[in-house]
Amino acid sequence: MGRTSSARERLLDSACDLIHERGYAAIGVAEICARADVRKGSFYHFFESKQALTAEAVDQHWAQRRAVWTAELSGPDPALARLERLVRAQASAQADGKRAHGRVRGCLFGNLATEVTPADGDLGARVAAVFAEQTDLVASALADAVAEGAVPADLDVAPTARAVLAHLEGMVLFARLADDPGVLDGLWAQTRLLIRAR
Amino acid sequence: MGRTSSARERLLDSACDLIHERGYAAIGVAEICARADVRKGSFYHFFESKQALTAEAVDQHWAQRRAVWTAELSGPDPALARLERLVRAQASAQADGKRAHGRVRGCLFGNLATEVTPADGDLGARVAAVFAEQTDLVASALADAVAEGAVPADLDVAPTARAVLAHLEGMVLFARLADDPGVLDGLWAQTRLLIRAR
């Protein structure tokens, strides 16, 4: 019975890896199955389509990443220290990814966001929901920073949180293109400017 | 003779449109030819491969956009006014794109940057070269702003220019995902923070 659940897990992990490497449109069910060592006939036992698998892969990847995000943003430290931990964790994740996979792979959600179209059903909405959750997490930390007086009281937290994530996504895109995690070295210093940290 | 050059132009325009809409991997030579109303046999008279066509489409699109960038950044106005024009022109381009094509299509270069892999030959380098030119153009305006005292003298212009572009790319990605050019309304106000405008 472990066999069944593990084939499903392997399909999800393979899709996640392949989309990270080459995007959504570039990969097919046959390739996902080959990487997962699952017979193609079994694929449709688990998932209706590549799109359905990808939607679950997005949810699974965010469940894993969300645990990191909430851990970095939690604790007794001042809000800006927690936000700094989160931002530095994003840079570290790209460096770790390069060590593990040989290349800076960028952001699964950002990679999908540039590819999805209305023809991909609710996939765009799933990715948008992840960014909305990320925005809420950052906005919550920024609200704490306002309460602590670490950023100006008139900071518009929701649009500022979105700008922080936009800057992060753009920098990760440049790091992917250059295949160089060092591109992310200035991430926190620049984020401090966007949030008007004192 | 106009016939020949116009088929080539139509192939380039079609590739540019289709990559904007759905990305690089999702489209094929047959679809590009159908959109361009060019027979598939003729395609290889003009281009060696989809990759070769895309490389030229990148260069052509940037040649068109570069003209806009240099126009917005030129003139007798203060550097920050020129930079503001450029940033607002990017937001307008997304709104114009939605009017013309029915959807916010994002940035051709950003869309490619999340998809290209080493298997795509020098395509990644071509896209990186566009971003490098954009960074140089913004950095040059920032250097003028330093000279004018509009931003601090210790502003590190090259990394700041890259951060400005990263933020722009990320916001355009969010606008694409939401299919809403209004996402870009705060672009200039946020850019002012990144460049430490006085």
Side-chain angles (χ1 to χ4, degrees):
Chain A
M1 67 187 195
R3 180 82 187 97
T4 311
S5 77
S6 118
R8 192 175 193 285
E9 282 307 304
R10 290 202 307 276
L11 287 169
L12 283 165
D13 291 344
S14 298
C16 193
D17 275 350
L18 285 166
I19 295 167
H20 252 124
E21 284 166 26
R22 308 209 333 262
Y24 174 67
I27 61 168
V29 167
E31 189 176 9
I32 296 167
C33 290
R35 168 87 62 120
D37 194 21
V38 170
R39 279 178 301 112
K40 199 169 168 184
S42 303
F43 179 92
Y44 295 99
H45 172 66
F46 298 110
F47 302 102
E48 199 178 292
S49 60
K50 182 179 83 164
Q51 182 187 309
L53 165 65
T54 304
E56 283 210 39
V58 165
D59 290 347
Q60 177 182 282
H61 187 63
W62 175 231
Q64 290 162 356
R65 297 301 302 161
R66 188 201 288 114
V68 174
W69 281 57
T70 51
E72 301 295 359
L73 287 172
S74 300
D77 308 310
L80 289 198
R82 293 184 273 126
L83 209 47
E84 178 174 359
R85 273 206 311 255
L86 174 71
V87 168
R88 292 194 187 280
Q90 305 308 309
S92 298
Q94 293 300 324
D96 293 346
K98 172 145 184 163
R99 271 188 295 273
H101 303 281
R103 282 190 60 77
V104 172
R105 305 194 304 166
C107 167
L108 181 73
F109 313 120
N111 293 358
L112 282 168
T114 60
E115 272 200 273
V116 290
T117 71
D120 299 310
D122 73 344
L123 210 44
R126 297 286 264 271
V127 175
V130 170
F131 283 124
E133 266 199 73
Q134 293 181 343
T135 304
D136 286 347
L137 287 167
V138 171
S140 173
L142 286 176
D144 291 347
V146 169
E148 292 166 7
V151 301
D154 67 348
L155 189 80
D156 212 346
V157 294
T160 302
R162 189 158 65 177
V164 166
L165 291 172
H167 172 251
L168 171 63
E169 282 295 323
M171 291 301 285
V172 165
L173 184 150
F174 289 163
R176 181 185 195 278
L177 200 55
D179 190 26
D180 178 8
V183 167
L184 302 171
D185 287 349
L187 209 50
W188 174 242
Q190 289 156 356
T191 302
R192 282 182 60 88
L193 295 171
L194 278 173
I195 65 175
R196 296 158 62 201
R198 293 192 205 277
Chain B
M1 69 184 192
R3 181 84 187 96
T4 311
S5 75
S6 119
R8 193 175 192 284
E9 281 308 303
R10 289 202 308 276
L11 287 168
L12 284 164
D13 290 344
S14 299
C16 194
D17 274 350
L18 285 166
I19 295 168
H20 252 123
E21 284 166 26
R22 307 207 337 260
Y24 174 68
I27 60 168
V29 167
E31 188 176 11
I32 297 167
C33 289
R35 169 87 62 118
D37 194 21
V38 169
R39 278 177 301 111
K40 199 169 169 184
S42 303
F43 178 92
Y44 295 98
H45 172 65
F46 297 111
F47 302 102
E48 199 177 292
S49 60
K50 182 178 82 164
Q51 183 188 309
L53 165 65
T54 303
E56 283 210 40
V58 165
D59 290 347
Q60 176 182 283
H61 187 64
W62 175 232
Q64 290 163 355
R65 296 301 303 161
R66 189 202 287 114
V68 174
W69 282 56
T70 51
E72 301 296 359
L73 288 171
S74 299
D77 308 309
L80 289 198
R82 293 183 274 126
L83 209 47
E84 177 174 358
R85 272 206 311 254
L86 173 71
V87 168
R88 292 194 186 279
Q90 305 308 308
S92 298
Q94 294 300 326
D96 292 347
K98 172 145 184 164
R99 270 189 295 274
H101 302 281
R103 282 191 60 77
V104 172
R105 305 194 303 167
C107 168
L108 180 74
F109 312 120
N111 293 359
L112 282 168
T114 61
E115 272 200 272
V116 289
T117 70
D120 300 311
D122 74 343
L123 210 44
R126 297 286 265 271
V127 174
V130 171
F131 283 124
E133 266 200 73
Q134 293 181 343
T135 305
D136 286 347
L137 286 167
V138 171
S140 172
L142 287 175
D144 291 347
V146 169
E148 293 167 7
V151 300
D154 67 348
L155 190 81
D156 211 347
V157 294
T160 302
R162 190 159 64 176
V164 166
L165 291 172
H167 172 251
L168 171 62
E169 282 295 322
M171 291 301 286
V172 166
L173 185 150
F174 290 163
R176 182 185 194 279
L177 200 55
D179 190 25
D180 177 8
V183 167
L184 302 171
D185 286 349
L187 209 50
W188 174 242
Q190 289 156 356
T191 302
R192 282 182 60 89
L193 295 171
L194 278 173
I195 66 175
R196 295 158 63 201
R198 295 191 203 277

